[in-house]
Amino acid sequence: MPAVGRGGVVPYVTSWSDEKKLPTEIIMRTSMGIGFGIGFADETVADRDRDGILWTRKPDRHGQGRPEFGNVHSRRQRRAMRLLLCQVCAQPADRNEDGVLWLLPDYYGEAQGWPENYDLAEPPICRACVPVATRLCPALRRGHLGIRARSAPVCGVRGLVYGPNRPAPALAGDYEVRYDNPTIRWTVADQLLRTLQDCTPVDLHQYRQTQHGHDPQTSEDRHIAAVRHRRDTPRPVP
């Protein structure tokens, strides 16, 4: 479910000011004196996903503090991507014979062959939440495009990549890393990636609420009410 802040609906994947990353000590994992990856000094089983990927530690205090639009909460983003949930309301994303609906910043159009076989970190969306997402997401306000993908396999992560160093691993930068890249063992993941395949462009105008003759705040209030009405709808188990 999205939370409701002073400005209205807050997308499910948005971080709040009380959800700061927890401090962690990064150490090198070694075998016979040779580094083969990183870990947390006080690592627990909850720090890695089912694929053995190390994930950043961030508390889940959804709705507490102020919404930080543009700052994605890693755990909720991963859940939305794994289960193909709407990035705004956390209900199942829209799907038809052309595939799952995705709402993307239009700068992706600069990539060769876009959007086919393109890796992305943005979770999908449902039709009802298109107007809210385009208004609230900073990247989408600069321009956006709709895509349906018949296939979108999980392919990797985005996160902080480290390299071997003494006395502690050295930060190399923030990168997208596919599962088949050995660098994945040196990565603290922050967002899950999927690859768009078999794509079809979508005319988003058919999904936008008609604002002519209506107060925009009234339209958003109706959307909030509709989202709350779906609170009891059964959702997939993460």
Side-chain angles (χ1 to χ4, degrees), residues 149-163:
R150 289 189 175 89
S151 177
V154 173
C155 64
V157 300
R158 178 175 182 175
L160 297 180
V161 176
Y162 291 78

Side-chain angles (χ1 to χ4, degrees), residues 82-142:
R82 283 281 187 198
L83 302 177
L84 293 176
L85 304 180
C86 173
Q87 59 179 278
V88 177
C89 69
Q91 295 293 316
D94 191 71
R95 184 194 299 262
N96 65 17
E97 63 275 8
D98 290 325
V100 175
L101 179 63
W102 304 79
L103 186 60
L104 308 177
D106 67 357
Y107 57 69
Y108 283 124
E110 301 172 3
Q112 185 176 5
W114 182 92
E116 200 66 35
N117 295 316
Y118 198 79
D119 301 344
L120 80 165
E122 292 87 351
I125 196 164
C126 72
R127 295 170 60 165
C129 288
V130 167
V132 176
T134 55
R135 186 180 66 83
L136 294 180
C137 177
L140 295 177
R141 285 201 300 265
R142 294 192 292 269

Side-chain angles (χ1 to χ4, degrees), residues 160-237:
L160 297 180
V161 176
Y162 291 78
N165 196 38
R166 299 291 183 181
L171 178 62
D174 187 347
Y175 298 103
E176 293 184 356
V177 184
R178 295 179 66 90
Y179 285 148
D180 57 0
N181 188 331
T183 305
I184 197 79
R185 300 194 302 267
W186 298 86
T187 303
V188 182
D190 190 63
Q191 297 183 54
L192 193 66
L193 303 177
R194 283 183 177 268
T195 303
L196 297 181
Q197 297 176 344
D198 199 359
C199 300
T200 302
V202 173
D203 179 7
L204 293 175
H205 291 289
Q206 60 184 311
Y207 303 147
R208 293 193 176 94
Q209 296 172 349
T210 302
Q211 296 291 347
H212 180 68
H214 296 279
D215 177 9
Q217 184 60 51
T218 299
S219 295
E220 180 162 298
D221 289 343
R222 288 174 179 170
H223 180 76
I224 292 172
V227 168
R228 284 175 170 163
H229 180 70
R230 290 188 289 176
R231 185 186 301 272
D232 297 327
T233 301
R235 284 185 257 170
V237 178

